[in-house]
Amino acid sequence: MNGRCVNHDGNPAARRRKVCRDCVQRFRDAMTLIASDTPALLLIANRQASTTAPDRSGIRTQSAHAVLPIQEHAWELYRETEELIRLAALQCRLPAAIRRTASIPALIYGILNDDRPLLDASDARSWWRDIVDMAGKVNRAVDPPMAQVAYGACPFCPNGIVWGEPRAHMGACRSCGAEVNRTYVPDRLLDRLAKSEKKGTPKQLSDQCAKAGFRLPASTIRSWTRQGRLTPDRHGRIPLSSIVPLIRERAQ
């Protein structure tokens, strides 16, 4: 009997291992990812650490100064990664582990030739988690996820906002979880506004549009009023529904 995986109690451990086959594969994939990403991470860090060119002796004559925190973070992350991989190489008794000139990819490929000292160790779970977590950190530093933008208010729940990548067609509401096509968001919201019985001043209507996910300046509504395209009542209030055709026309 091989026992159970230290990461997933329900999965049988791989032959002579303390982790299951899926975890072994994920461990090796993480190692490979670190090997492929750390050269790029080092380039990012060096843009920060090498603000001055070395002289002909190869010795930097001035201290490096961090301009942006993200690059300083990249350097610290590279050093943490190097320390972890070097300790793993020492665990595997690789001769290259004691050579400071040995690169992270070289150490990793040496470890992958025989990773049993890590995955058979009594602390195999710690090694597994440290390597997998580090691979995620390095990959996010080298290839950060694209920042999301708000498409507008969710048409399916009262307070939700639909978010997605800038050039994506689909987004997701962070309140109800609905997946919504970004072109569907303004259409549904305009339909909702068209049925509204609310009235208000240009400033109040502008605020109502902002709550619905549209940016419509009060000055634009006033301009439509001066042009005779909107007709306020005797109290200066304009029906919210009356501006919907003008919003649709403006969007075309």
Side-chain angles (χ1 to χ4, degrees), residues 13 107 173 198:
L107 293 174
C173 174
K198 293 182 178 180

Side-chain angles (χ1 to χ4, degrees), residues 57-227:
S57 66
I59 301 173
R60 197 196 331 263
T61 57
Q62 298 182 25
S63 61
H65 297 280
V67 178
L68 296 176
I70 183 62
Q71 291 164 329
E72 181 179 356
H73 171 72
W75 179 251
E76 291 300 321
L77 180 59
Y78 181 86
R79 298 296 299 173
E80 290 174 11
T81 306
E82 182 182 36
E83 181 180 0
L84 175 63
I85 297 303
R86 197 169 295 279
L87 288 174
L90 288 171
Q91 176 80 4
C92 293
R93 298 182 179 180
L94 292 180
I98 62 174
R99 295 203 306 268
R100 302 305 300 179
T101 56
S103 67
I104 292 177
L107 293 174
I108 286 176
Y109 295 135
I111 292 170
L112 290 177
N113 285 333
D114 184 7
D115 53 19
R116 286 178 299 176
L118 296 175
L119 300 181
D120 292 349
S122 59
D123 56 349
R125 183 180 184 183
S126 295
W127 281 113
W128 188 91
R129 293 179 66 178
D130 288 347
I131 292 296
V132 171
D133 288 349
M134 188 62 73
K137 291 179 182 179
V138 172
N139 186 251
R140 286 190 295 272
V142 172
D143 188 18
M146 185 176 293
Q148 292 192 332
V149 297
Y151 294 161
C154 177
F156 303 116
C157 65
N159 301 313
I161 301 295
V162 179
W163 292 78
E165 295 182 357
R167 294 183 178 85
H169 296 292
M170 300 296 294
C173 174
R174 293 187 178 178
S175 293
C176 68
E179 292 190 4
V180 187
N181 189 299
R182 70 179 306 166
T183 59
Y184 191 51
V185 172
D187 289 341
R188 288 295 301 271
L189 293 173
L190 285 176
D191 290 342
R192 183 188 295 177
L193 294 181
K195 299 175 183 177
S196 174
E197 297 181 356
K198 293 182 178 180
K199 293 183 178 181
T201 64
K203 178 64 169 64
Q204 291 171 335
L205 295 186
S206 177
D207 292 342
Q208 287 294 325
C209 289
K211 292 178 181 179
F214 293 97
R215 183 182 179 277
L216 184 64
S219 59
T220 300
I221 301 176
R222 295 190 189 99
S223 175
W224 288 339
T225 301
R226 289 195 297 269
Q227 294 169 10

